[in-house]
Amino acid sequence: MNRRGFFTLLGGAAITWPLAARAQQAGMPVIGFLGAGSLDNSGPYLAAFRKGLNEAGFREGQNVAIEYRWAEGQYDRMVELVANLVRSRVAVIAVPGTPPGARAAKAATSTIPIVFGVGEDPVSLGLVASVGRPGGNATGVNFLTAEVVAKRLALLHDLVPGAARVAALINPTDETRAESVRSEVQAAVHTTGVQLQILNASTSRDIDAAFAALVRERADALFVGPDAFFNTRRVQLATMAAHHSIPTAFAVREYVDAGGLMSYGASLTDMYRQTGIYTGRILKGAKPVDLPVLQSTKLELVINTQTARMLGLTVPPSLLSVADEVIE
């Protein structure tokens, strides 16, 4: 090989080096970011995560690099994706919004710090010893999803008081969350006399089939369980609900932005920002064991009145007065 060919090959190798290796060689810390969805569906969340990093003194591409891995809604890929990040020797693994990813990260490493964002109790998930003293290599944010199921159902009932048949859509691939949501929904409707139908979906085709069942069974309203995969399909869910004229309650506002009727739950963007702040603090030398799990207290009710009119619903003034945002 001549001299010119050698340097051409060397330059090509530099271009194809993994980002983590190049950043580490330059003395720049690398964050491993594991997302449950896809890049296309995660723009606002990534912006919030980077905002948190900025607040902690880090800016992507300047003094920190980020290796992204996306599960594309397939939870069974989490173990493989986490293993890839561990092999890349990242300085910290950020896993916001996906309990399966957080559990996979916790199982994969006891040395690399982990910052999670989960909607369930992190102690029962096996991520930390306690909320106040995590006791290991993981800490993060508990943004409360299962705990507000009853309240979300009550708000849906206030909006559709005549609903006698309510369906709940749950993703069975995240077994822990699915069981938690199922139990909460069943407990919430137990004393109301409302007839409950549980529907499962873990693919786009499953969602289509679930709506076909809703139409066939003449459901009066739909409750969509909190789930990262469902969030990646929020446009499909909002569109199908509108097409079949089914009033639907969601866990987070992004569904309502996509045309859904209403949502009640924690702010996901705020959770991503808090995850970014904790990630930055760890890069500065803080230990997960010394960072208590944050409890997200920012709950928001968002109502899309245009969708309500399209469904023939009148939003009660009592709901409008307590809504954090009304989308016209």
Side-chain angles (χ1 to χ4, degrees):
M1 179 182 295
N2 60 33
R3 181 183 178 87
R4 181 175 180 180
F6 173 78
F7 282 108
T8 299
L9 178 62
L10 184 62
I15 292 172
T16 57
W17 276 357
L19 169 63
R22 300 201 307 272
Q24 288 161 355
Q25 189 177 63
M28 187 182 297
V30 180
I31 299 166
F33 183 99
L34 177 59
S38 65
L39 177 61
D40 293 341
N41 288 291
S42 302
Y45 305 135
L46 287 180
F49 179 76
R50 292 174 182 135
K51 184 176 186 294
L53 279 177
N54 293 348
E55 291 177 28
F58 292 92
R59 189 171 296 274
E60 185 178 9
Q62 294 184 9
N63 60 351
V64 70
I66 306 178
E67 280 269 13
Y68 297 98
R69 299 292 182 272
W70 300 100
E72 305 287 344
Q74 301 174 43
Y75 295 154
D76 57 356
R77 296 187 59 208
M78 293 294 188
V79 172
E80 167 199 348
L81 295 173
V82 168
N84 183 271
L85 290 174
V86 170
R87 287 194 298 270
S88 297
R89 299 179 182 178
V90 296
V92 57
I93 299 175
V95 199
T98 166
R103 291 196 299 268
K106 182 68 174 175
T109 177
S110 60
T111 56
I112 300 175
I114 299 164
V115 181
F116 57 76
V118 295
E120 292 76 30
D121 174 21
V123 177
S124 65
L125 290 175
L127 299 176
V128 296
S130 73
V131 170
R133 299 183 63 83
N137 65 317
T139 188
V141 184
N142 177 12
F143 58 93
L144 307 177
T145 54
E147 290 87 344
V148 297
V149 163
K151 177 66 173 179
R152 192 178 305 123
L153 275 169
L155 290 167
L156 178 61
H157 184 264
D158 290 343
L159 191 51
V160 193
R165 301 168 65 89
V166 176
L169 186 65
I170 297 171
N171 183 355
T173 59
D174 184 352
E175 295 180 5
T176 301
R177 172 173 285 182
E179 181 54 38
S180 173
V181 174
R182 186 181 296 109
S183 298
E184 291 285 342
V185 172
Q186 290 171 338
V189 303
H190 179 67
T191 59
T192 63
V194 172
Q195 185 176 347
L196 177 66
Q197 179 183 12
I198 300 292
L199 297 170
N200 294 318
S202 57
T203 68
S204 179
R205 288 185 178 182
D206 288 345
I207 292 173
D208 290 339
F211 274 95
L214 288 173
V215 173
R216 186 170 60 250
E217 298 296 327
R218 298 182 180 179
D220 298 312
L222 172 65
F223 175 94
V224 175
D227 183 78
F229 166 68
F230 289 160
N231 199 13
T232 69
R233 306 304 305 172
R234 56 187 178 270
V235 173
Q236 179 188 7
L237 286 161
T239 301
M240 295 288 286
H243 176 72
H244 293 293
S245 299
I246 299 175
T248 304
F250 301 97
V252 293
R253 64 158 301 137
E254 283 74 13
Y255 293 90
V256 186
D257 291 333
L261 175 61
M262 64 161 288
S263 68
Y264 178 73
S267 168
L268 278 190
T269 54
D270 188 59
M271 179 274 291
Y272 274 80
R273 183 187 67 84
Q274 291 176 319
T275 303
I277 291 173
Y278 256 23
T279 300
R281 289 184 62 179
I282 287 173
L283 290 176
K284 283 185 171 181
K287 305 297 183 184
V289 69
D290 299 321
L291 296 175
V293 175
L294 297 172
Q295 299 292 309
S296 180
T297 58
K298 186 177 180 181
L299 299 174
E300 53 188 9
L301 169 63
V302 183
I303 301 172
N304 190 320
T305 55
Q306 181 179 5
T307 300
R309 287 192 297 271
M310 184 180 63
L311 294 171
L313 298 173
T314 300
V315 182
S318 59
L319 277 186
L320 292 175
S321 66
V322 298
D324 296 275
E325 185 172 348
V326 176
I327 298 176
E328 298 289 346

